[in-house]
Amino acid sequence: MKIDAFHYVQLGTAYRGLQPVPDEEVIDLYGGTQHIPLYQMSGFYGKGPSIKQFMDIFSLPEMALLSCVVDHFLGHGLEFDQAHLYKDVTDAIRDVHVKGLMYQWIERDMEKYILRGDETFAVLSRLVDHGKQLFLITNSPFSFVDKGMRHMVGPDWRQLFDVVIVQADKPSFFTDRRKPFRKLDEKGSLHWDRITRLEKGKIYRQGNLFDFLRLTEWRGPRVLYFGDHLYSDLADLMLRHGWRTGAIIPELEREIRIINTEQYMHSLTWQQALTGLLERMQTYQDAESQQVLAAWMKERQELRYITKALFNAQFGSIFRTFHNPTYFSRRLVRFSDLYMASLSCLLNYRVDFTFYPRRTPLQHEAPLWMDQLCTGCMKTPFLGDMAHIR
């Protein structure tokens, strides 16, 4: 199911297996409300006592596998314990990753699974040319990183980075002081010597952030760190160490493309207009007015579902429910200073470009009709006429 920033389930997005759960049943399951109690919600790293937040690339196969297996069991009348099923599926997904099977499959067909990174190389080389110091911290093993980066960036990719750390074991890399850095040779063999400095061109395994900070002296807002996982990559760095963070959200490219379509803009504008009309005209209690209000309410609800389906028929946008940000969106803005679809988006800006924070209106600062908010919506002819409807 999809949950908004205030822990409310978006009705129409709850599924048992591959079948939608009726809104009435969802409300009944949570004691007559759509609200998920705080004690059930996921904790700091997205895992709570009874709810897990799916929010990264590995979530896609895990959700699909869970849904299909549950659907199979229910469709064939097989009894099962949900906790056992969840654990088995989660363990299977983890083992494919941890045991290296995924790396082997990808390495066999780089052309299929990894895009050539001309734009990635352009971003990295541009930063280096402007005197920036780059570092790479990844949970992947060196053999996989080396083959992938050679495919994406070229054989001299290591010359772009001042520090390269593999099998870092994030997010514990950011919090556990006990694991020291170890040097790897070209064959992947570990060295025994104590690490007193991090050298360019060398490969290091594991380690921890506290030793990293001590050896590099890269601290606080002078560092901008990019990652594609809010918890494993960004949360600790922003909250504990004051680094600037950038989130890579590939789905953003498609979502932006959709919100720039005429269908989406017309649908949203009309929704906002209907919302404003309902808010203004609800004081009229006569039968004819009530009939008009009911028709507007129905049309508004239909438009909301149409808009949702533009993004995804089952769940809609990953950033919004009907009107609130999603729980994911809330965590995204909490743990990232910037977010973008790809690192290559930086090519649209100068290296010394400053992103200034935007002042967003609070509820008491916003006008009655949100569509009047600096969007030019009131310049739309039919909305200008509607503004005078009584």
Side-chain angles (χ1 to χ4, degrees), residues 158-172:
R158 286 163 60 179
Q159 298 306 311
L160 295 169
F161 295 93
D162 292 86
V163 180
V164 176
I165 301 166
V166 299
Q167 292 178 277
D169 194 24
K170 298 179 291 182
S172 65

Side-chain angles (χ1 to χ4, degrees), residues 359-368 370 373:
R359 180 186 174 96
T360 55
L362 303 174
Q363 288 294 327
H364 69 278
E365 296 175 324
L368 184 62
M370 288 301 293
L373 237 188

Side-chain angles (χ1 to χ4, degrees), residues 63-76:
M63 286 189 293
L65 186 56
L66 268 173
S67 298
C68 290
V69 174
V70 168
D71 204 66
H72 175 81
F73 283 1
L74 293 175
H76 291 79

Side-chain angles (χ1 to χ4, degrees), residues 73-90:
F73 283 1
L74 293 175
H76 291 79
L78 303 174
E79 292 187 11
F80 67 99
D81 186 298
Q82 295 96 325
H84 297 332
L85 175 61
Y86 169 76
K87 184 178 186 304
D88 288 349
V89 169
T90 302

